[in-house]
Amino acid sequence: MISPSLREKVSILIFSKVIQKNKKFNHVFKKKKEMLTQMLGHVDIEDIVAIMISKFETVLHDPEDQIVKQLDDDRDMYLIAKGACEISYLDERNGPAKSKNDLKSKSRTLRHSDYFGEISMVYGCKRTANVQSTKYSTLAKLSYEHYREILIEF
């Protein structure tokens, strides 16, 4: 068993570069740093990143693991630190499908630093796609509850 403090340090090591590469998170970090610098003086962006990473859970997936299923009510968001995931969705053309032939499946592969699940998290809607791990994958999972905490803190 790994101690909670060591687990947190490992998570920071794994996810800090992934989160800092993400343009949306990077924008949040810069704004938070400006605000804290005005209040407290010098603040390192790494400290802000560490606060955010503490809200994430590390999850590991094997190849072919189903991570997200289209139309589920789950509202978690994921960042890919290592590995790859395939996103696929069924598209109903010209209204509801009358047969399986009416459904068109579309897909794309996500890799290191990509993320998914943000649509359900932000808008509270059902999942818009299926996500399956295609390699051994290390993901950062942000629960809806922790997302709400981040909105308040940042």
Side-chain angles (χ1 to χ4, degrees):
M1 199 71 185
I2 187 171
S3 72
S5 62
L6 182 57
R7 181 186 313 265
E8 185 175 339
K9 288 179 183 178
V10 170
S11 292
I12 290 168
L13 180 67
I14 292 171
F15 297 117
S16 63
K17 288 181 184 174
V18 173
I19 288 178
Q20 288 183 54
K21 276 186 173 181
N22 185 292
K23 290 178 184 176
K24 291 185 183 198
F25 283 119
N26 206 355
H27 177 72
V28 170
F29 298 145
K30 286 180 182 176
K31 288 214 174 258
K32 184 69 172 182
K33 181 179 178 180
E34 289 172 13
M35 185 184 80
L36 289 175
T37 300
Q38 288 176 353
M39 292 169 43
L40 306 172
H42 178 71
V43 176
D44 285 330
I45 201 149
E46 288 79 20
D47 295 333
I48 298 168
V49 171
I51 293 168
M52 175 142 335
I53 291 172
S54 71
K55 306 290 184 193
F56 285 85
E57 174 189 349
T58 303
V59 290
L60 307 173
H61 285 282
D62 294 330
E64 299 183 17
D65 279 356
Q66 181 87 28
I67 302 167
V68 170
K69 188 172 181 183
Q70 188 171 359
L71 301 179
D72 276 357
D73 290 323
D74 181 30
R75 292 181 74 179
D76 298 333
M77 179 180 153
Y78 298 84
L79 291 156
I80 303 172
K82 294 185 182 191
C85 297
E86 182 176 81
I87 294 194
S88 63
Y89 61 95
L90 296 176
D91 186 15
E92 294 182 2
R93 304 232 175 206
N94 302 321
K98 295 178 177 85
S99 71
K100 284 193 174 187
N101 294 335
D102 290 345
L103 295 172
K104 305 292 182 201
S105 180
K106 310 224 179 200
S107 68
R108 93 177 242 237
T109 300
L110 299 178
R111 302 189 192 301
H112 174 75
S113 299
D114 288 331
Y115 58 93
F116 58 92
E118 75 284 358
I119 294 171
S120 294
M121 178 174 276
V122 172
Y123 296 108
C125 60
K126 293 182 183 280
R127 293 291 188 182
T128 59
N130 297 301
V131 181
Q132 183 175 5
S133 182
T134 57
K135 297 181 176 183
Y136 291 101
S137 299
T138 304
L139 309 174
K141 176 180 168 182
L142 179 62
S143 70
Y144 181 72
E145 293 76 23
H146 285 131
Y147 165 72
R148 301 283 299 158
E149 289 175 17
I150 288 171
L151 286 179
I152 292 167
E153 281 185 46
F154 289 89

